[in-house]
Amino acid sequence: MNLKDCYSFDDFRQLAKQKLPSPIFHYIDGGADDEITLKRNTSSFDNCDLIPNVLNDVSNVDLSTTVLGQKIDFPLFLSATAMHRLYHHHGERATAKAAEKMGTMFGISTMATVSIEEIAKLTKGPKLFQLYIHKDTGLTDNLIERCKKAGFNSMCLTVDTVVGGNRERDRRTGFTTPPKLTLGSLLSFALHPGWTLNNLLHEKFQLANIIHTTKKGSGIDKSVVDYINEQFDPSMDWKDAEYCVKKWGGPFALKGVMSVEDAKKAIDIGCSAIMISNHGGRQLDGSRAPFDQLAEIVDAVGDKIEVILDGGVRRGTHVLKALALGAKACSFGKGYLFSLGAGGQKGVEAVLQIMKDEIKRDMTLMGCKSVKELNRSKVVFR
Ligand SMILES: Cc1cc2nc3c(=O)[nH]c(=O)nc-3n(C[C@H](O)[C@H](O)[C@H](O)COP(=O)(O)O)c2cc1C
């Protein structure tokens, strides 16, 4: 199997499974505890059906939308995810370039392996920086100031990761950053010589945005959850979030909001957007799926704040359903990470092209000329 055989999320996932050593594949693929939320994030889209309208001259369909102050060519962007260097030796360079080429926004994580400054030089496309608040308070100011100087367009603060989720697959495979060769994992690395060779021959793994303040997680073998539990600040509260909103002073999203109550507080502290998200099912297992919470949150705050649906998106029809319920756009993680592992920048471009084509085809079949025409009349719950 190779890239040209990939037509869907499942195909890219299969190819990534072939190409990546198993601890790395399972780090992307896994969720918390029994992975119930992970599965529910996608299956929740099946609770409703689309109702098309016909004979509406759909010879020109406009997929573009504006989110966090940025125009994107289609209503799906790359949610921030950690450590792209693990999945492909070009790391975030590959993902950022693919997003730019395909006309959508790139989200870069605090835990990226390419620096804010390098990404800013590399791409003129819309860029969203994802902030984690560390116990080292100077780090927050430092990251915000560097993003301003580098010309990032928007920022989000992840609020669902005050402690690490229980990712049992990582414990079973012994996943660490950087990857550690153990007796157990040796076979898996040996069976993936392409990845292993590229890993050895290219730049060293590092958490490029925070290496100057903490070497933890960069130079020593560490589990991601240990890193989170040691470094992230569980005392973070609404005042800290408000501080970040004010300090940034531009379009700002809270990522990981799941309740109407918190969505209202996000408005009070001056956020311009919320990302309804449970971290792709990697944190609190048993929490509701973002899609299941979407309508209620949109009804309560949709006229005052942009609502972004993050989690479980695998198909163009998922994006259509979210937009019909009132989301401004969707974002995804695993959907582009598998394609990064499967084929670097070309892989990410391929999956984005497939998603863009699906959204366009689905909107045409729905009789919608623009994303504005996707509204509640277009979906019915079973
Ligand atoms: C491998 C991996 C790493 C992630 N790293 C981060 C991160 O550093 N910061 C963050 O806010 N979210 C992170 N996430 C969560 C994503 O931003 C996003 O919320 C999630 O992937 C959406 O669900 P989906 O994978 O079903 O699309 C990560 C997700 C994955 C799969």
Side-chain angles (χ1 to χ4, degrees), residues 365-380:
L365 292 171
M366 283 289 292
C368 291
K369 293 188 213 311
S370 79
V371 292
K372 285 190 203 87
E373 292 182 15
L374 285 163
N375 56 40
R376 292 280 171 96
S377 71
K378 308 284 184 189
V379 275
V380 171

Side-chain angles (χ1 to χ4, degrees), residues 275-344:
M275 296 175 75
I276 307 184
S277 175
N278 54 32
H279 218 102
R282 301 161 75 79
Q283 286 294 102
L284 177 66
D285 197 29
S287 74
R288 248 184 143 213
F291 186 71
D292 285 335
Q293 282 298 81
L294 179 60
E296 194 185 331
I297 293 179
V298 167
D299 287 345
V301 299
D303 55 340
K304 298 183 197 76
I305 195 164
E306 284 180 357
V307 178
I308 297 160
L309 186 282
D310 174 77
V313 172
R314 307 288 181 258
R315 285 284 183 193
T317 49
H318 297 164
V319 177
L320 263 64
K321 287 177 179 180
L323 266 61
L325 290 189
K328 197 77 207 283
C330 293
S331 54
F332 70 159
K334 283 179 269 299
Y336 73 83
L337 285 180
F338 287 132
S339 63
L340 175 64

Side-chain angles (χ1 to χ4, degrees), residues 27-28 79-82 87 109 130 132 158 255 277 279-280 282 310-312 314 332-334 337:
Y27 174 65
I28 304 175
S79 212
T81 54
Y87 326 125
S109 168
Q130 175 269 320
Y132 277 129
T158 298
K255 177 173 183 285
S277 175
H279 218 102
R282 301 161 75 79
D310 174 77
R314 307 288 181 258
F332 70 159
K334 283 179 269 299
L337 285 180

Side-chain angles (χ1 to χ4, degrees), residues 9 24-30 37-38 41-42 45 76-84 87 107-112 130-132 156-161 167 175 224 228 232 255-256 275-283 290 309-314 331-338:
F9 171 88
I24 294 176
F25 171 79
H26 286 291
Y27 174 65
I28 304 175
D29 199 46
T37 294
L38 168 66
N41 282 356
T42 297
F45 289 101
L76 175 67
F77 67 88
L78 283 65
S79 212
T81 54
M83 305 183 294
H84 292 189
Y87 326 125
I108 174 177
S109 168
T110 293
M111 294 180 72
Q130 175 269 320
L131 191 63
Y132 277 129
C156 69
L157 171 66
T158 298
V159 288
D160 57 16
T161 310
R167 304 173 194 170
F175 175 77
V224 173
I228 292 171
F232 291 7
K255 177 173 183 285
M275 296 175 75
I276 307 184
S277 175
N278 54 32
H279 218 102
R282 301 161 75 79
Q283 286 294 102
L309 186 282
D310 174 77
V313 172
R314 307 288 181 258
S331 54
F332 70 159
K334 283 179 269 299
Y336 73 83
L337 285 180
F338 287 132

Side-chain angles (χ1 to χ4, degrees), residues 70 96-97 100 104 119-127 151 153:
Q70 296 300 305
K97 285 307 280 181
E100 180 187 33
T104 193
I119 291 295
K121 274 203 198 106
L122 197 71
T123 157
K124 294 196 182 354
K127 291 172 283 295
N153 313 100

Side-chain angles (χ1 to χ4, degrees), residues 19 30 35 63 68 76 118 180 182 210 267 277 312 335 340 347:
K19 292 210 166 186
E35 304 189 340
L63 312 183
L68 284 160
L76 175 67
E118 190 180 342
K180 182 168 53 179
T182 60
I210 51 182
I267 299 171
S277 175
L340 175 64

